[in-house]
Amino acid sequence: QVQLVESGGALVQAGDSLRLSCAASGRIDTFQSMGWYRQARGKQRELVASISRSGRTNYVDSVKGRFTISRDSAKNTVHLQMHKLEPADSAVYYCNGGPGSTSVPWGQGTSVAVSP
């Protein structure tokens, strides 16, 4: 079963940028799509961005224009470039299968904390 390892999280200030990475132990093309999710303390996990095999992307309204998801099938990695970070973006970020895909066990995620 594919294992996913997220990295790149950090403590940053509002307005800063971060790039998250997700490394898969197997081929990401086995997923219909890949997604980045986040879970803030006390809240449910939400899908913030997804990218299909063909490269079509979707974003939750709160991150549109600020976040960009990308995938590198040759390296089996998925990235989330985040700009203009806001305190509301603070959460643990995870990658997994996106819409239309079967999820695999969740990794440990990577923590993003944005100070005002």
Side-chain angles (χ1 to χ4, degrees):
Q1 199 168 34
V2 174
Q3 293 182 321
L4 302 167
V5 178
E6 301 90 351
S7 62
L11 171 62
V12 297
Q13 293 186 326
D16 285 351
S17 299
L18 274 178
R19 186 176 189 241
L20 306 183
S21 297
C22 170
S25 62
R27 293 182 56 208
I28 61 172
D29 283 347
T30 60
F31 295 88
Q32 182 90 359
S33 68
M34 291 295 296
W36 276 99
Y37 301 76
R38 67 186 179 188
Q39 186 168 20
R41 187 171 299 178
K43 295 188 177 181
Q44 288 191 328
R45 187 175 291 159
E46 66 169 341
L47 175 66
V48 296
S50 65
I51 184 167
S52 70
R53 281 200 205 107
S54 64
R56 181 174 296 180
T57 58
N58 279 290
Y59 301 92
V60 68
D61 285 348
S62 60
V63 308
K64 282 181 181 176
R66 299 188 298 120
F67 290 12
T68 302
I69 187 171
S70 61
R71 62 190 291 160
D72 185 336
S73 295
K75 296 182 179 179
N76 292 310
T77 56
V78 184
H79 300 285
L80 187 67
Q81 180 68 54
M82 307 186 292
H83 295 296
K84 299 179 182 179
L85 283 162
E86 304 168 355
D89 296 318
S90 298
V92 179
Y93 284 71
Y94 305 85
C95 66
N96 212 311
S101 300
T102 301
S103 294
V104 297
W106 295 90
Q108 292 191 334
T110 187
S111 182
V112 174
V114 185
S115 62

